[in-house]
Amino acid sequence: MTTAPASQFDAIAALEDAGLRITGQRRQVVAAIDRKDAGFTAEALASELDGVGRATVYRTLKLLVEADVICKLALPDGTPMYSPSRVEHHHHSVCTSCGAVEEFRDSTVERVLRSLNREIEGEIIGHRMEVFIRCRACLISTDE
Amino acid sequence: MTTAPASQFDAIAALEDAGLRITGQRRQVVAAIDRKDAGFTAEALASELDGVGRATVYRTLKLLVEADVICKLALPDGTPMYSPSRVEHHHHSVCTSCGAVEEFRDSTVERVLRSLNREIEGEIIGHRMEVFIRCRACLISTDE
DNA sequence: GTAGTTATTGAGATTCAGTATCAATTGAGA
DNA sequence: TCTCAATTGATACTGAATCTCAATAACTAC
């Protein structure tokens, strides 16, 4: 259950579970995301889906983020990216050259939060961790 | 040297070190940031500094981020925030209610990266970690 | 101090990501 | 099949940030 692929099926099911209608447009968005194997921007997805309006793409992405089917993350410069989410509770490594996103679980991150919990006067309500990398393929292709 | 306050003086010096001119506008921006004790948005800073153009505020913020005098971070919804940087290598906890930013160093974060380094096929070139909290003051004021 | 070069500034236009509006459409339960 | 609320999409809008370019002002050299 930790590595169950977030197939098109799951995403649609997640939307249904949320009491939402399954429209042709939503199917198209989900199918397009399912074809991705790297991070993508909302705008790229929108221009790729000619039959679906821009606003609808953004709305659907938001619904999918809320349903935990995809993740929204950001490059170092703040450029927003989306990535299908296949692992339950995880963080991301993003290749800044090609946009490839890997998910990783690391119990150490949770340990950071626990130790922080003792230090901080307040309630931890969330966190974000992103690691920026240059992936193997990009290292090779660029030079040497 | 780890906890030297990033006073106005330091920020100006950092700009000078970068070979930049010290203009009245840059002084005003730095002075205004120095007065802050919480995170702030670029827009808030801009509207607070009547004598300085919006574009200049943004340009100066960018320079200060590059000079490591301030940090750019983001709320969970992506709202960009800036915060004076007083600790060398650190991460942030941001109160999502009042915008208060605390810096913390946690060696555990570095440990996460080291373990990741072994897992990942590629080169780690950076990371970002933000912890979102509800600070003590906000917990009390809202409804204890 | 003055002059000259060159970085910097600011008003406003522009981009980019994302949201709001609202009439027309359509999914899905009855 | 009917009905009605959810959804869509064209378009206008917001907010963050950048670009343009003529006018201005810092440094440097004299």
Side-chain angles (χ1 to χ4, degrees), chain A residues 19-21 23 25-26 51-56 59-60:
Chain A
L20 298 164
R21 288 186 183 170
T23 66
Q25 289 89 334
R26 286 178 180 166
V52 186
R54 228 170 60 89
T56 300
R59 279 189 287 237
T60 307

Side-chain angles (χ1 to χ4, degrees), chain B residues 20-21 23 25-26 51-53 55-56 59:
Chain B
L20 298 164
R21 290 184 182 171
T23 65
Q25 290 89 334
R26 285 178 181 166
V52 186
T56 300
R59 278 188 287 238

Side-chain angles (χ1 to χ4, degrees), chain A residues 48-123:
Chain A
E48 177 181 326
L49 289 167
D50 277 336
V52 186
R54 228 170 60 89
T56 300
V57 170
Y58 276 96
R59 279 189 287 237
T60 307
L61 283 175
K62 187 179 245 190
L63 293 173
L64 292 172
V65 169
E66 278 161 15
D68 272 323
V69 174
I70 62 174
C71 295
K72 184 177 182 178
L73 37 101
L75 295 185
D77 67 355
T79 305
M81 300 268 297
Y82 293 85
S83 151
S85 171
R86 314 196 195 260
V87 180
E88 200 99 4
H89 187 76
H90 62 268
H91 301 95
H92 297 96
S93 70
V94 189
C95 175
T96 52
S97 302
C98 70
V101 176
E102 289 290 328
E103 301 176 329
F104 66 92
R105 285 185 64 110
D106 194 316
S107 57
T108 334
V109 176
E110 271 67 48
R111 224 177 299 154
V112 174
L113 294 177
R114 276 198 297 278
S115 87
L116 216 57
N117 218 355
R118 286 190 291 275
E119 262 182 69
I120 281 178
E121 302 202 334
E123 183 191 353

Side-chain angles (χ1 to χ4, degrees), chain B residues 93-133:
Chain B
S93 69
V94 189
C95 176
T96 53
S97 301
C98 69
V101 176
E102 290 290 328
E103 299 177 330
F104 67 92
R105 285 185 62 110
D106 194 316
S107 56
T108 333
V109 176
E110 271 68 46
R111 222 176 300 154
V112 174
L113 294 178
R114 276 199 298 278
S115 87
L116 216 57
N117 218 355
R118 287 190 291 274
E119 261 183 69
I120 280 178
E121 302 202 334
E123 185 191 351
I124 293 182
I125 57 182
H127 66 281
R128 161 165 49 215
M129 174 153 193
E130 282 144 26
V131 177
F132 303 112
I133 66 166

Side-chain angles (χ1 to χ4, degrees), chain B residues 9-28:
Chain B
F9 220 61
D10 292 334
I12 294 295
L15 293 178
E16 273 176 343
D17 289 352
L20 298 164
R21 290 184 182 171
I22 305 309
T23 65
Q25 290 89 334
R26 285 178 181 166
R27 277 185 210 283
Q28 286 185 67

Side-chain angles (χ1 to χ4, degrees), chain B residues 27-48:
Chain B
R27 277 185 210 283
Q28 286 185 67
V29 171
V30 166
I33 292 174
D34 211 44
R35 270 180 251 121
K36 301 280 180 194
D37 56 338
F40 57 91
T41 65
E43 214 58 34
L45 194 69
S47 63
E48 177 181 326

